Amino acid sequence: MIEVINPGLFSLIVDGGRQGRGALGVPLSSALDGYAYRALSMLLKNDRLAAIEAMGPNFAVRFSAPLVCALTGARVRAFLDDDPVADWSSFPVRTGQTLRVRQILQGARYYLAFSRPLVLDEFMASFSTNLDARFGGYQGRPLAKGDIIETGEDRDVPPAFVVPSSIPDLTPPHRLRVLVGPEADHFSEEDLAGFFSADGPFRYRVSRSANRVGIRLEGGPPLTFRDGVPRSIVSEPLLPGTVQVPGDGLPIIVLYERTIGGYARAAVVCRADLPLLAHLRPGDAVSFMKISEEEARLDHEEAVGALKIQEIEGADH
Amino acid sequence: MTVKPYGEEGIRVSFGNEITLETHDQVRRCYFHLSRVKRPFIRDIIPSFTCVLVVFDDTLVSRRKATAALEEDLSRLGESDPPPPAFHEIPVRYGGEDGPDCPFVCRHTGLTLEELIEIHTSVTYTVFTVGFTPGFPYLGILDERIRVPRLETPRIRVPAGSVGLAQGQTGIYPCESPGGWQIIGRTETELFNPRREPFSLMAIGDKVRFVRL
């Protein structure tokens, strides 16, 4: 089993998401950094993993069974007892050892998963936590000090690491590649041209009220609605990464916790840049850059192909 | 009906931008038809007031092919009827602690609490869509006499089962959550159960009647 010694700033159980239940208002609730989650899957040779998504320093878990642990996402300084362990890698853990994340060097959310499966209930074929309706994950809630997660039979996986060229740079400023959204024409043409060019005046800062539902941006020019256009729309289904603009003209980026929304959708963050949204921190600079759907598709394919791991030869495991 | 792209994986089938029962019937027919045809490249189908979003898997099919297949399916919308809607009776305690916004709603509408309850319980509502949180039904169409704006400052916590009003709609909060609707009452009925199919008590098109407790 695994005991939560310190949940850090905020941690919860996630996976690849709860698919296909949008008509019931059930959102994906996926790992925010899908690339880091996929890296865990590759390191542990398991694409149905329940993983821990955590934020902030001081996160610590103690293991009462030997296993292989993998750590990806934000760049962190982590220790197994007193020995440093590399992020974006997997490493063997002995009974009684404690893994601690002491410092976040780059990005915001980091991910942990294990060679032993976590014994948790699946809801609608997913382990992800739905915090609104309080189901999935660990008792439908964030992890807390003293929580004990049972683990199952170990699987034999060799320790491995993600090759350095596959580890993303998470340093701000963030230039998010976007497609034009369904209601982009609700805004003045002049503003839109500026909004869609990353180097124009339409640069924003991540607000302090950013969370797992959405990222509010501030500190930049509000988008001007065209004359006669209503300030909200009849609520419509949402895709993750949609850039909604409420009446105040300041963008909100929707993540994986809502299925519908009633604000004009000016843009949609490309899939290649969705993982980056997990790492936007309050105060970070954000701008948008319009690309074509074909470019987005190629960027996505490139990101999928970029992830490479290497097994550690002769490792004792 | 228009078919348009949205993001990298979305196709929006849109039936205008008016919240009416006619539009709703088209959305519902489209949703059930596409769900029944169940093209293998479709990952999700999400209906709303005026639109059906189809999320497709572009590792299986290109947008061009997905759109063409969908348009073919949409040309046969008349060939299958959606299932008959379920009917739900929802017992509600109105006013007092269960309906903290009744005083505001009464002031705003000029109605007494009795009149407000009488009007709210006199209509058979239609579930226009389910969303916001799992199982949250958006119900219409609200009587003109009890239309009120949203709260200026949304509440941080609205209790589960709260029955609210906002503009042309009434709805029920399945779980405790933040919310900006004017709360007029509360029900004990369970609207969402993640452990039991079909998970959400209500589906698009279901009919709902509130009953005073």
Side-chain angles (χ1 to χ4, degrees):
Chain A
M1 66 185 203
I2 296 169
E3 183 185 352
V4 178
I5 305 295
N6 187 324
L9 206 55
F10 189 84
S11 51
L12 77 175
I13 303 288
V14 294
D15 67 6
R18 197 163 275 117
Q19 305 280 345
R21 302 290 185 180
L24 308 180
V26 176
L28 292 165
S29 306
S30 334
L32 292 189
D33 182 345
Y35 184 84
Y37 177 78
R38 205 156 51 79
L40 288 180
S41 301
M42 286 173 73
L43 289 167
L44 296 167
K45 302 180 190 297
N46 176 0
D47 54 13
R48 302 267 311 116
L49 278 173
I52 298 174
E53 177 182 288
M55 287 178 87
N58 300 325
F59 176 90
V61 281
R62 184 162 51 220
F63 301 93
S64 17
L67 48 76
V68 172
C69 172
L71 171 63
T72 64
R75 304 309 307 268
V76 298
R77 272 160 55 87
F79 294 83
L80 200 51
D81 291 339
D82 295 322
D83 299 325
V85 288
D87 57 6
W88 291 87
S89 80
S90 59
F91 41 85
V93 173
R94 292 190 310 273
T95 301
Q97 284 190 306
T98 298
L99 178 80
R100 272 177 214 283
V101 173
R102 292 200 192 276
Q103 201 185 350
I104 314 298
L105 304 171
Q106 207 185 90
R109 291 181 172 89
Y110 48 93
Y111 295 83
L112 293 116
F114 318 98
S115 55
R116 288 178 188 270
L118 302 181
V119 180
L120 298 165
D121 290 337
E122 271 186 294
F123 289 87
M124 299 168 223
S126 167
F127 293 110
S128 275
T129 316
N130 185 303
L131 292 174
D132 280 314
R134 294 173 194 82
F135 69 92
Y138 187 87
Q139 300 177 7
R141 62 166 172 80
L143 295 174
K145 180 178 159 56
D147 284 347
I148 286 172
I149 310 171
E150 298 294 336
T151 53
E153 278 288 290
D154 204 11
R155 295 166 60 250
D156 189 27
V157 285
F161 61 91
V162 174
V163 302
S165 60
S166 295
I167 300 176
D169 178 17
L170 306 172
T171 332
H174 307 293
R175 294 159 58 111
L176 300 173
R177 291 167 285 183
V178 294
L179 297 183
V180 175
E183 286 82 38
D185 62 0
H186 286 203
F187 303 96
S188 88
E189 236 167 84
E190 199 188 330
D191 276 14
L192 269 190
F195 184 78
F196 283 133
S197 67
D199 302 313
F202 286 81
R203 267 171 291 190
Y204 301 92
R205 282 191 322 269
V206 175
S207 130
R208 294 181 63 85
S209 60
N211 57 31
R212 284 195 101 256
V213 179
I215 299 168
R216 227 190 134 79
L217 301 179
E218 58 188 21
L223 280 173
T224 315
F225 285 83
R226 271 180 212 238
D227 287 343
V229 167
R231 294 296 182 268
S232 60
I233 61 165
V234 173
S235 290
E236 268 207 33
L238 290 174
L239 289 172
T242 295
V243 182
Q244 287 191 308
V245 183
D248 67 7
L250 292 172
I252 298 171
I253 308 172
V254 182
L255 299 172
Y256 299 89
E257 302 297 331
R258 289 286 178 269
T259 55
I260 63 171
Y263 295 129
R265 299 162 291 181
V268 189
V269 176
C270 293
R271 278 180 294 174
D273 283 344
L274 285 178
L276 187 54
L277 300 178
H279 301 289
L280 269 49
R281 299 161 64 125
D284 279 3
V286 175
S287 59
F288 300 98
M289 190 172 67
K290 183 175 85 174
I291 63 172
S292 70
E293 187 170 7
E294 181 58 12
E295 287 169 311
R297 197 182 59 77
L298 294 172
D299 288 346
H300 175 64
E301 268 177 20
E302 190 185 308
V304 170
L307 186 47
K308 293 194 170 64
I309 67 160
Q310 203 169 312
E311 289 178 9
I312 299 169
E313 283 173 38
D316 179 26
H317 64 273
Chain B
M1 179 173 69
T2 61
V3 178
K4 287 184 179 164
Y6 168 25
E8 287 170 79
E9 300 162 290
I11 300 172
R12 280 169 72 217
V13 184
S14 179
F15 297 88
N17 49 22
E18 300 282 334
I19 303 180
T20 64
L21 282 169
E22 291 72 32
T23 301
H24 161 77
D25 285 339
Q26 289 177 294
V27 166
R28 185 167 183 268
R29 174 172 287 274
C30 172
Y31 167 69
F32 280 106
H33 180 72
L34 295 180
S35 302
R36 205 171 286 143
V37 176
K38 234 181 172 173
R39 295 268 185 181
F41 59 78
I42 291 181
R43 286 219 314 263
D44 204 1
I45 308 174
I46 312 176
S48 63
F49 295 93
T50 59
C51 167
V52 176
L53 174 66
V54 175
V55 185
F56 69 98
D57 185 339
D58 73 344
T59 61
L60 300 177
V61 68
S62 67
R63 172 179 294 282
R64 201 173 47 79
K65 284 190 174 161
T67 306
L70 215 58
E71 281 174 338
E72 194 188 316
D73 296 341
L74 291 169
S75 71
R76 303 211 174 89
L77 277 188
E79 292 174 17
S80 68
D81 285 330
F87 179 81
H88 311 279
E89 204 173 81
I90 304 294
V92 177
R93 294 185 307 269
Y94 286 93
E97 277 179 20
D98 295 310
D101 296 319
C102 281
F104 172 86
V105 175
C106 290
R107 269 200 315 278
H108 191 269
T109 57
L111 299 168
T112 64
L113 181 59
E114 284 303 312
E115 289 166 333
L116 167 65
I117 297 169
E118 168 64 28
I119 295 169
H120 192 251
T121 52
S122 67
V123 175
T124 299
Y125 298 99
T126 299
V127 177
F128 276 80
T129 190
V130 177
F132 169 52
T133 56
F136 185 108
Y138 287 82
L139 305 165
I141 290 176
L142 202 64
D143 190 294
E144 295 278 354
R145 289 170 292 172
I146 57 172
R147 294 200 177 182
V148 286
R150 285 166 195 266
L151 296 177
E152 279 189 21
T153 310
R155 283 193 176 86
I156 294 169
R157 290 164 70 161
V158 176
S162 292
V163 176
L165 305 177
Q167 282 129 9
Q169 285 143 36
T170 179
I172 313 167
Y173 287 79
C175 51
E176 183 188 293
S177 65
W181 293 34
Q182 307 277 357
I183 304 303
I184 59 168
R186 199 168 167 193
T187 180
E188 302 286 336
T189 305
E190 181 181 76
L191 278 101
F192 185 79
N193 182 342
R195 293 185 183 275
R196 210 174 54 229
E197 298 245 27
F199 311 117
S200 173
L201 175 67
M202 298 190 191
I204 184 167
D206 284 1
K207 302 294 178 188
V208 178
R209 190 92 183 206
F210 293 104
V211 182
R212 178 186 195 167
L213 269 183

